[in-house]
Amino acid sequence: MVDWKLAVATATRLVRPGPEVGRDEAREVVAELRRHAKTSEEHVRAFTRMAPPPGNPDGPAVHDTPVLVVDRAGWIKANVAGFRAVLGPLLEKMQDRRGNVPGGAVLGAVGGKVTGVELGMLLSFLASRVLGQYETFAPATGDLPGAANGGRLLLVAPNIVHVERELEVDPHDFRLWVCLHEETHRTQFTAVPWLRDHIESEIQAFLGETEVDPATLLERIREAAQSLAGGRADEGEAAEERGGRSIVDLVQTPAQREILGRLTAVMSLLEGHADYVMDGVGPRVVPSVAEIREKFQQRRANGAGRLDAALRRLLGLDAKLRQYRDGERFVRAVVDAVGMDGFNRVWTSPNTLPTKAEIAKPADWVTRVHGRSEQ
């Protein structure tokens, strides 16, 4: 169904070259990022008061979740391995369905190559933009180690160097600032053992609702294309809603939209929490954090060209930017209302995670979980 090797080859061939960095400088960048990752772990755990629970053999431990400093090709390989792990059940389901169709094997082979090229093109676009990533579902490979139960932290060195040069900020401060954000994600999953399994079950439920009938899927894609083509540049919230929807949003079933609402809330929480922690720790350990934050926010908001902006919208990446903003507001409001320990009740179980509506109205979460309104 997907030619994974072709996906890697396509992405590696198409990805933009990184910034010019000499061998000695490259070694220094890698060494500094590793040092900052270790230092960030201590800062993040002290600020969040989150630590792996004692006596939990099933949960991932910090020392089991490696920090890997990679180039763009390494990021591509790691993400293809993650895609294979997450999409495996769905692809097997589709393969079984296609096996009962005359000529299905031939169509599958051709389709697999087409999908491999398309996935490679997508990854080539993303590989030059990601600064760091906590891979939640990361099977270990020969050249990319991972935790026994999944998990590894990737820091994409050429992208970090590219952005720090583009923003003209202190490189040492910027590298630590990035590590603080990414280390928060590693802390979230190592301190909350059930979180990985919960997210995986939601993703598999989402994929399980995917239509595998080719005619039905084609019809949904046509509807999506017509909706995007027919949108007008009207003013107001309705136009913003139409313009902000990605192709992925438009081909969902009603059940998938419900699941996606829960996943969106979780991802908003995780991303917003990371931004909140980064801002909370930053002033203590990153001297130029105010300058970095201002320039980075401006880059997030205004840095994309017309083609880049269109791709971001179609791929749903604009939604990710909203997750940072909305999630950070939720975390800040809850911590202001009930303190850090009160906020940390969010990690008690899936039942204490905020809903999508509560992300927008933190007081409702405080009332539900703490039994009282914000003061």
Side-chain angles (χ1 to χ4, degrees):
M1 298 299 295
V2 180
D3 189 328
W4 299 108
K5 290 183 179 180
L6 183 58
V8 172
T10 300
T12 303
R13 183 176 69 254
L14 295 178
V15 71
R16 299 175 184 176
E20 292 186 10
V21 178
R23 182 171 298 180
D24 291 341
E25 183 182 359
R27 289 198 188 100
E28 292 175 1
V29 171
V30 171
E32 184 172 23
L33 286 173
R34 287 175 176 158
R35 291 196 303 271
H36 283 333
K38 179 62 178 176
T39 302
S40 296
E41 177 188 329
E42 299 169 0
H43 291 312
V44 169
R45 292 188 181 278
F47 181 80
T48 64
R49 304 175 195 171
M50 296 175 69
N56 179 40
D58 297 326
V62 175
H63 63 269
D64 290 332
T65 54
V67 177
L68 307 181
V69 182
V70 298
D71 58 11
R72 291 171 177 175
W75 181 87
I76 289 167
K77 291 178 182 177
N79 275 267
V80 167
F83 275 130
R84 292 187 72 169
V86 172
L87 296 178
L90 173 63
L91 295 180
E92 289 179 8
K93 181 179 177 181
M94 297 183 72
Q95 186 68 43
D96 292 341
R97 174 70 64 89
R98 178 161 284 173
N100 297 324
V101 177
V106 174
L107 290 173
V110 174
K113 292 189 179 299
V114 172
T115 306
V117 170
E118 292 173 341
L119 177 59
M121 293 172 66
L122 168 62
L123 290 174
S124 71
F125 171 78
L126 296 174
S128 62
R129 288 158 174 77
V130 176
L131 301 182
Q133 173 186 0
Y134 183 81
E135 277 202 299
T136 313
F137 315 105
T141 62
D143 54 347
L144 291 168
N149 292 336
R152 61 181 165 226
L153 180 59
L154 304 179
L155 297 170
V156 191
N159 295 349
I160 293 173
V161 171
H162 170 77
V163 174
E164 69 192 26
R165 291 178 178 178
E166 178 185 311
L167 298 182
E168 298 182 338
V169 294
D170 182 279
H172 309 294
D173 284 0
F174 184 75
R175 294 165 196 173
L176 176 56
W177 189 74
V178 170
C179 287
L180 287 171
H181 184 280
E182 302 307 330
E183 179 58 39
T184 302
H185 289 315
R186 190 164 72 135
T187 296
Q188 290 163 348
F189 284 93
T190 55
V192 187
W194 54 264
L195 186 58
R196 178 190 181 277
D197 289 342
H198 172 70
I199 292 177
E200 183 177 24
S201 67
E202 292 280 53
I203 291 173
Q204 292 306 325
F206 181 91
L207 295 176
E209 290 290 334
T210 300
E211 296 283 358
V212 293
D213 176 65
T216 302
L217 192 58
L218 178 60
E219 181 62 27
R220 290 187 180 278
I221 292 174
R222 286 173 178 167
E223 291 174 1
Q226 290 169 1
S227 176
L228 288 171
R232 296 178 299 172
D234 298 330
E235 295 182 358
E237 294 182 0
E240 181 178 353
E241 176 67 19
R242 284 196 302 273
R245 297 184 73 185
S246 69
I247 288 178
V248 175
D249 294 327
L250 292 167
V251 299
Q252 290 162 15
T253 65
Q256 284 178 313
R257 291 192 184 96
E258 183 177 338
I259 297 168
L260 187 67
R262 296 195 297 267
L263 279 171
T264 298
V266 175
M267 299 313 298
S268 296
L269 170 68
L270 298 180
E271 297 292 358
H273 184 235
D275 263 14
Y276 178 82
V277 172
M278 186 168 59
D279 285 349
V281 176
R284 308 178 188 180
V285 298
V286 182
S288 60
V289 65
E291 177 191 5
I292 291 173
R293 182 66 161 159
E294 180 181 0
K295 289 184 175 181
F296 195 77
Q297 289 286 59
Q298 185 177 5
R299 181 181 184 272
R300 273 182 179 174
N302 304 321
R306 295 181 68 181
L307 176 60
D308 192 51
L311 285 170
R312 291 172 68 87
R313 186 182 66 187
L314 290 175
L315 296 174
L317 299 182
D318 284 343
K320 185 174 179 64
L321 297 183
R322 289 195 296 273
Q323 287 172 5
Y324 285 104
R325 183 181 66 243
D326 298 343
E328 195 274 341
R329 281 201 298 255
F330 170 84
V331 175
R332 185 173 302 280
V334 173
V335 173
D336 287 347
V338 295
M340 184 64 74
D341 290 336
F343 165 79
N344 280 340
R345 289 184 62 177
V346 78
W347 313 116
T348 304
S349 75
N351 292 330
T352 55
L353 291 172
T355 64
K356 189 176 179 180
E358 288 171 340
I359 288 289
K361 295 182 177 180
D364 291 352
W365 181 88
V366 172
T367 299
R368 177 171 67 87
V369 174
H370 288 269
R372 62 183 177 86
S373 302
E374 289 181 84
Q375 300 298 321

